[in-house]
């Protein structure tokens, strides 16, 4: 037998692995998972029933064109169906976007730290990441991002609100940026946490995309709509981009369960958005308590908060876990803590209070 192993693309060397948020240990002392920015509410009964009904036909392939979901999204957001593309979560759509725009020799710009999938999907495509540090307030530095644009730039991610800091870019600065970027560079507004925004000065990307052919908006059913386990997200973009997304999609990637549950969720939006309101109220409580304890917390418009703990990050995460809440450490930088069930949030807050006293 030959000693040789299959030849793999050199671009894969050193690709960082995606670290999923740690699960809450089954049967152990840990009870609350605050590590993946999930929705802590269980599925709405009507949505669950719809998904269960769809499960009865999973011997069949799903509707590849997601016809029903496209029609529902088109009406809900007031966009032509040709401007929509779906994928296996918005991370799947983000990967399709890179495949459609960038390869070896091309550059993809994004803020750092931001969503950890960006470096992975960029490197897998063979393109080069250009990471632009967040400013001192943990916010996208749009001027620096603009200055980073070169002839090789193909795509720019603007994560709004930003994961993991929860910070936002506001209307005037974002519009100025969009208008300054060359029109042949695609700007992707990743709005995975859009529904949690309460700052009226943060623009809705779907309004910004309408008269800007190089702007694409990413949304997901994973967060506010509570369908993280079903994997469905979508993009809103003008036709050449949306059409390219359909070409780069994995055929039949979005299951019928996911399609039907997404439609049912859109039809149950009022009930889901009430839950989002409750999570936002909880976010306000968590942020205020932390500030009262003496922490500096960047204002979050998402379903998580960020504590820049530097060298103490891993110790803090361990203390939270011992107390019963799993958070998401970024060693040497900080922890991201999802807003979860009140009792879980309280465990985090009590740990933060005790930790603060030690600092
Ligand atoms: C900013 C951002 N974009 C996209 C995603 C992907 O979510 P999904 O693939 O579940 O839609 C996430 C998930 O954490 C995220 O934080």
């Amino acid at each position: 037998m030959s000693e040789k192993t299959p030849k793999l693309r050199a671009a894969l060397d050193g690709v960082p692995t995606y670290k999923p948020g740690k699960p809450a240990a089954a049967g152990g002392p840990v009870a609350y998972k605050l590590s993946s920015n999930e929705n802590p509410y269980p599925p709405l009964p009507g949505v669950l029933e719809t998904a269960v009904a769809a499960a009865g036909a999973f011997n069949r392939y799903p509707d590849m064109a997601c016809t029903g979901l496209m029609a529902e999204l088109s009406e809900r957001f007031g966009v032509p169906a040709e401007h929509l593309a779906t994928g296996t979560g918005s991370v799947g759509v983000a990967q399709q976007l890179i495949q459609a725009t960038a390869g070896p020799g091309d550059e993809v710009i994004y803020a750092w730290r931001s969503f950890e999938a960006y470096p992975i999907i960029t490197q897998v495509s063979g393109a080069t990441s250009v990471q632009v540090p967040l400013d001192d307030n943990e916010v996208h530095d749009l001027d620096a991002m603009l200055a980073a644009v070169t002839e090789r730039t193909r795509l720019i991610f603007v994560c709004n609100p930003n994961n993991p800091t929860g910070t936002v870019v506001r209307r005037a600065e974002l519009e100025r940026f969009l208008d300054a970027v060359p029109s042949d560079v695609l700007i992707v507004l990743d709005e995975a946490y859009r529904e949690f925004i309460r700052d009226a000065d943060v623009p809705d990307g779907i309004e910004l995309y309408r008269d800007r052919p190089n702007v694409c908006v990413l949304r997901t059913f994973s967060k506010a709509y509570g369908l993280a386990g079903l994997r469905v997200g979508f993009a809103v973009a003008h036709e050449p981009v949306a059409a390219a997304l359909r070409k780069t999609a994995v055929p039949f990637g979005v299951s019928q369960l996911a399609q039907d549950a997404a439609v049912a969720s859109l039809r149950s939006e009022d009930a889901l958005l009430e839950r989002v309101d409750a999570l936002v109220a909880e976010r306000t409580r968590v942020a205020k308590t932390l500030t009262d304890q003496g922490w500096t917390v960047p204002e979050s418009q998402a379903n998580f908060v960020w504590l820049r703990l530097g060298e103490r990050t891993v110790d803090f995460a361990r203390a939270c876990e011992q107390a019963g809440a799993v958070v998401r450490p970024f060693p040497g930088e900080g922890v991201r803590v999802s807003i979860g069930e009140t009792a879980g949030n309280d465990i985090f807050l009590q740990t933060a209070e005790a930790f603060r006293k030690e600092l």
Side-chain angles (χ1 to χ4, degrees), residues 18 89-91 115 118 159 163 190 192-193 220 222-223 231:
Y18 189 107
S90 56
V91 72
F115 180 35
Y118 299 155
C159 189
N163 174 6
D190 184 343
Y193 303 96
T220 182
S222 296
K223 309 294 178 180
R231 313 306 303 128

Side-chain angles (χ1 to χ4, degrees), residues 18 36-38 87-94 114-118 159-164 190-193 218-223 227-229 231-234 303-304 336:
Y18 189 107
S36 294
N37 298 342
E38 293 156 334
T88 54
S90 56
V91 72
V93 189
S114 189
F115 180 35
E116 69 176 309
Y118 299 155
C159 189
N160 203 27
N162 187 48
N163 174 6
D190 184 343
E191 297 188 335
Y193 303 96
L218 274 186
R219 296 276 180 95
T220 182
F221 283 95
S222 296
K223 309 294 178 180
L227 302 185
R231 313 306 303 128
V232 52
F234 62 99
N303 64 341
F304 49 85
R336 186 193 69 198

Side-chain angles (χ1 to χ4, degrees), residues 2 13 169 171 328 350:
S2 147
D13 294 343
V169 287
R171 184 180 306 279
R328 175 70 163 88
Q350 284 150 16

